[in-house]
Amino acid sequence: MNVQAMQEATRDAVKKKFHGKRYLVSRSPMKYPQHLERDYTRITNAYMGLLNDTLREYIPEIKALLDDYRDEAANADRPDAKGKNGDWQEFSRMLRRVLERAEVDLKKKTANFDLVRRLNDLENRAHKYSIREWKRVVRQTLGINIFDDYYDGKFFRENTRQWVLQNVDLITTIPKETLKRMYNVISGGQYAGKTAAEIGRQIQASYNVSKSHARFIARDQMAKLNAQITQRQQTDAGITEYVWRTVGDGRVRESHRHLNGKRFKYSDPPIVDPKTGRRANPGEDYQCRCVALPVFDIDGLTLPWEAEAKQQTK
Ligand SMILES: [Zn+2]
């Protein structure tokens, strides 16, 4: 069927729902995939756990090194440490060597983690979830059933493949960079005369910061993926406008709460940050879980639907 014929057939099928008007706001919003966000966070937590395991394995060695190279006053009662006192260059060389070995171990662990496959799975599930949601919203609002395999085509998958690659990059960088920072954390602590226990705590604190950073990425990226898929589905259906809808819980930021219930164009997103003037559609702002309530336009509607399935609607 060509586009024009499809549009006409669709218009006939949904006309009565519009009650003579041109626009019809979706009766329910696309639900935010909270469970996928949780699953992504689980992945990043497990991935960061590999770094934690590695650090734990090497901390005794690092502490011994710190003790060995304490300054003379601190090591006066330790004859075995003789000759190493205050040899900063030697300490530095030894520390780098330990961290290099830790890096090799971390690499082995992460290679077995299969991050690419896990994120691919997640992307797949996000895609399927979004199709299910979109079908539900269309059925509830327009009373028609979209073809099951319509969104399986290449067109809807290209950008999300890109998402997987980008996310693999984002996630793998974090433990690598954290381990690199450890040299400064440890040698800086030693230089400042901190105890091995204190430095151990600093290592843990530095790890914790990175872990929350990974969690931030999981939340942020799941929102972006979801927004990307839904926007593509909606614009493909000829939808150009939406009503902004927040999830309505305590985590919604002030500036987004302000947009709730208002109508915008995908091509002209509202300002989401009054300070910087940054603009975004729902889900595009960092860690945004807001969704777009599609505004169906009977004149531009292009939906591939199954005529026989109409009787399923209420
Ligand atoms: Zn938001």
Side-chain angles (χ1 to χ4, degrees):
M1 216 193 299
N2 66 37
V3 173
Q4 208 188 340
M6 190 160 87
Q7 280 184 348
E8 270 166 33
T10 309
R11 193 178 314 179
D12 284 345
V14 303
K15 213 162 44 192
K16 57 182 187 301
K17 301 274 181 187
F18 282 75
H19 299 291
K21 297 199 182 85
R22 180 176 171 185
Y23 296 104
L24 175 61
V25 180
S26 168
R27 284 174 59 188
S28 72
M30 306 263 296
K31 276 199 224 77
Y32 182 76
Q34 205 76 250
H35 62 296
L36 295 177
E37 181 186 291
R38 266 198 305 276
D39 287 350
Y40 196 171
T41 308
R42 247 178 238 141
I43 294 173
T44 59
N45 282 350
Y47 194 79
M48 290 303 288
L50 301 176
L51 172 64
N52 202 25
D53 292 347
T54 311
L55 289 173
R56 275 174 202 280
E57 278 163 39
Y58 282 86
I59 274 179
E61 207 176 325
I62 290 167
K63 279 186 174 167
L65 193 66
L66 289 166
D67 281 341
D68 278 353
Y69 288 87
R70 284 266 166 243
D71 63 31
E72 271 173 1
N75 276 332
D77 57 341
R78 281 190 56 193
D80 59 308
K82 222 175 166 189
K84 293 177 178 177
N85 296 330
D87 191 342
W88 188 254
Q89 270 190 338
E90 175 74 1
F91 167 76
S92 178
R93 211 160 52 82
M94 298 287 278
L95 177 60
R96 279 194 198 283
R97 217 177 278 168
V98 174
L99 290 175
E100 271 163 27
R101 270 191 287 121
E103 201 184 321
V104 172
D105 273 357
L106 177 67
K107 233 180 233 167
K108 274 185 214 152
K109 287 190 178 90
T110 53
N112 291 326
F113 187 80
D114 233 353
L115 182 66
V116 181
R117 184 189 52 78
R118 290 185 200 215
L119 290 181
N120 250 321
D121 282 355
L122 198 64
E123 183 269 327
N124 249 313
R125 289 172 57 214
H127 188 78
K128 288 206 178 96
Y129 174 85
S130 164
I131 293 172
R132 248 195 341 267
E133 272 299 287
W134 179 227
K135 285 185 76 171
R136 180 185 61 78
V137 162
V138 168
R139 195 167 52 236
Q140 281 180 355
T141 308
L142 303 178
I144 54 173
N145 274 321
I146 304 176
F147 274 130
D148 259 333
D149 52 359
Y150 179 66
Y151 296 105
D152 289 343
K154 230 182 182 175
F155 172 76
F156 292 99
R157 303 313 290 264
E158 271 162 26
N159 287 355
T160 50
R161 291 274 173 258
Q162 206 54 40
W163 179 90
V164 172
L165 296 178
Q166 264 171 18
N167 276 259
V168 168
D169 229 44
L170 285 169
I171 300 302
T172 50
T173 307
I174 301 172
K176 268 191 252 165
E177 293 296 313
T178 313
L179 203 51
K180 264 187 206 144
R181 272 204 311 277
M182 286 305 166
Y183 174 80
N184 287 334
V185 170
I186 298 162
S187 63
Q190 176 84 327
Y191 193 74
K194 292 197 168 122
T195 66
E198 279 171 333
I199 293 171
R201 278 194 291 277
Q202 278 185 325
I203 292 173
Q204 194 59 44
S206 181
Y207 165 77
N208 288 341
V209 170
S210 297
K211 192 181 170 188
S212 8
H213 178 54
R215 226 179 281 146
F216 169 87
I217 286 179
R219 284 212 290 263
D220 186 50
Q221 288 296 315
M222 185 42 72
K224 287 198 167 69
L225 176 65
N226 187 53
Q228 204 178 68
I229 300 171
T230 55
Q231 188 173 332
R232 204 145 215 222
Q233 283 167 348
Q234 294 183 14
T235 50
D236 177 73
I239 290 158
T240 56
E241 291 178 283
Y242 62 83
V243 171
W244 191 291
R245 177 68 74 91
T246 69
V247 291
D249 64 15
R251 257 170 69 196
V252 176
R253 72 207 85 174
E254 182 68 39
S255 61
H256 290 203
R257 199 175 303 136
H258 185 69
L259 301 171
N260 190 38
K262 293 188 180 141
R263 191 160 154 175
F264 303 101
K265 280 191 167 71
Y266 274 120
S267 59
D268 185 23
I271 291 173
V272 289
D273 184 354
K275 270 184 220 144
T276 61
R278 190 176 66 249
R279 289 172 180 274
N281 287 312
E284 289 174 351
D285 203 3
Y286 67 93
Q287 286 201 345
C288 173
R289 298 162 303 146
C290 298
V291 290
L293 211 56
V295 178
F296 295 97
D297 173 2
I298 197 161
D299 288 342
L301 205 58
T302 318
L303 281 169
W305 51 281
E306 312 175 71
E308 293 92 290
K310 269 205 300 188
Q311 63 272 18
Q312 278 182 20
T313 60
K314 279 187 269 185

